[in-house]
Amino acid sequence: MNMEKVRKIGTFHILVLIFIFFNTKGFSEITTNEVYLLSSIYEGKDFTNITPYPINSNDEFEVYPGFFYKSFDPLWLIGGIFETNWSDLERGVYLSDSLPYVTGFMGGYDAGSMRIVSGMYFFDPYLTEEELERQKDTSFGTNFDTNSDRAGLEDFGYSDPSKTLFIHRLEFNLFDRVRLSLNELNLIGGKYPDLSDANPFGIAHNNLGEGFSNNMLGVDVSFIPTKGWQIYGQFAMDDFVVPDTEGGATYYKPTAFAWGLGTRLVGKTSKYYISPKIEYYKIYTWMYNQWAPYLKYTAKYNEEDIPIGFDYGNDMEGYLIGLDIANETTRYKIIFEHYLKGEINLDTPYDDERKEDVEGWPGPYGETTPFIKISFSIEVGF
């Protein structure tokens, strides 16, 4: 069993035991993993890749291990502690199940062919002394940023112990075979969030320099040409520098994209859905990185920073071959991965002199290292 799943199961083993002991009806209204999506692909219909997500709607208040669910058909709300995933990809590029769990709320409006989904997740605000010092730094001196909304505010706080992610999705399901979604992520740090931060159109805002938020755009697409066959992909844009129009931008916000493409087949035996898949990834050199710890696209668990998007961080390119075998109570996963890893990682300081090398932004940058991983995992009673 790979360490990634060990971490997840270690975090949730108490909740899983409670689920097995107390829950006798199963998750009849909520899908908490990709099994329902696999069954939909097998039948030739597309379903959202967001989990957890209500399958059926009723007006009852339901309590599950770690979280609650309430439907106000066609509206719904989930709150508590739960695992979440917003991707068809094994390693989603803007919000995946790389995180052991999230604490917060998610809800939406479901009109069948159109869905609106929002999430608000709270992360551990703990910073080391070094991280806190950088978080408070107003960048006076060599790193001074004239675009900062803190410019001229020396010793300005900017360090309220808060790190919150808002995510909004507008999803369309066309002809039961094509799913397209537009996503906006808004990471708020150094201040407590307010109503303006929850604005679903923040991606269009001019959040420049060292502010209190870091926006990301995500696009998600899925196509089912025929029963049992899916083609899918994701694209994330953290920032895009337009040459000759963003003077000085190369010194602080380089172009940062991430994308993945994949395809899978879904078959069925008497007990399991069986799904082989292959996926390809490209993660730009400075993706997910940031100078302010609270605005870096990572979340802290047991003092370890974990990327909110692609599991292994930035500056990588490669492929994944996997096999999923699953039913409602048991899931087996076998994965082979091969990537080229560049010199830059999420611990590389954002003022590193190599960032001025514009040609290196797509990555992998510099001398690359092969990254190979073979993993096998079993989950029971999820």
Side-chain angles (χ1 to χ4, degrees), residues 168 183-186 199-207 214-218 237-238 297:
H168 309 284
N183 302 260
E184 186 261 355
L185 293 85
N186 188 16
N199 177 6
F201 302 103
I203 195 66
H205 291 177
N206 213 7
N207 293 326
N214 187 6
N215 293 136
M216 184 180 294
L217 170 69
M237 181 180 73
D238 192 358
Y297 268 90

Side-chain angles (χ1 to χ4, degrees), residues 67 83 110 112 154 163 178 182-183 205 218 231 247 249 258-259 262-263 269 272 282 290 320 333 346 351 366:
F67 67 93
E83 293 186 37
D110 196 326
E154 191 170 2
K163 185 171 185 176
V178 178
L182 302 177
N183 302 260
H205 291 177
I231 302 170
W259 53 267
T263 185
T269 68
Y272 296 98
K282 174 78 169 182
Q290 243 273 3
L320 175 152
K333 191 180 292 288
L346 294 181
D351 57 358

Side-chain angles (χ1 to χ4, degrees), residues 333-352:
K333 191 180 292 288
I334 304 170
I335 296 175
F336 171 82
E337 299 172 87
H338 183 279
Y339 306 99
L340 288 179
K341 177 72 180 77
E343 297 177 2
I344 308 300
N345 56 45
L346 294 181
D347 294 323
T348 303
Y350 210 65
D351 57 358
D352 190 289

Side-chain angles (χ1 to χ4, degrees), residues 293-351:
Y294 279 143
L295 297 183
K296 183 184 292 188
Y297 268 90
T298 61
K300 200 176 290 288
Y301 293 82
N302 297 323
E303 300 186 14
E304 176 189 359
D305 269 333
I306 299 175
I308 293 174
F310 187 71
D311 292 53
Y312 307 126
N314 56 338
D315 205 19
M316 301 185 73
E317 182 176 14
Y319 63 90
L320 175 152
I321 300 173
L323 176 66
D324 295 305
I325 304 173
N327 59 23
E328 293 298 331
T329 59
T330 308
R331 180 167 53 185
Y332 304 91
K333 191 180 292 288
I334 304 170
I335 296 175
F336 171 82
E337 299 172 87
H338 183 279
Y339 306 99
L340 288 179
K341 177 72 180 77
E343 297 177 2
I344 308 300
N345 56 45
L346 294 181
D347 294 323
T348 303
Y350 210 65
D351 57 358

Side-chain angles (χ1 to χ4, degrees), residues 17 19 29 55 58 76 87 93 102 129 142-143 169 173 200 204 263 266-267 273 318 333 344 349 353 357 378:
L17 290 176
F19 165 69
E29 302 296 331
I55 301 173
N58 59 50
W76 56 273
S87 176
V93 298
V102 294
E129 291 186 10
T142 57
N143 294 324
R169 167 180 288 196
N173 195 316
T263 185
V266 180
Y273 291 100
K333 191 180 292 288
I344 308 300
E353 61 183 9
D357 183 1
I378 303 174

Side-chain angles (χ1 to χ4, degrees), residues 13-73:
H13 72 281
I14 295 178
L15 294 180
V16 171
L17 290 176
I18 292 174
F19 165 69
I20 294 173
F21 187 77
F22 287 105
N23 194 62
T24 58
K25 67 174 182 178
F27 287 111
S28 59
E29 302 296 331
I30 302 289
T31 176
T32 59
N33 53 66
E34 74 267 26
V35 176
Y36 191 82
L37 176 59
L38 292 179
S39 68
S40 299
I41 297 170
Y42 178 76
E43 296 171 1
K45 298 180 180 180
D46 217 324
F47 188 70
T48 185
N49 55 19
I50 295 177
T51 56
Y53 196 89
I55 301 173
N56 302 306
S57 296
N58 59 50
D59 292 329
E60 296 182 5
F61 180 85
E62 301 180 5
V63 178
Y64 297 90
F67 67 93
F68 69 84
Y69 163 65
K70 176 66 173 124
S71 173
F72 310 89
D73 193 19

Side-chain angles (χ1 to χ4, degrees), residues 1-2 5 331-335 375-379:
M1 185 178 298
N2 67 352
K5 293 303 180 183
R331 180 167 53 185
Y332 304 91
K333 191 180 292 288
I334 304 170
I335 296 175
S375 56
F376 171 71
S377 63
I378 303 174
E379 294 185 42

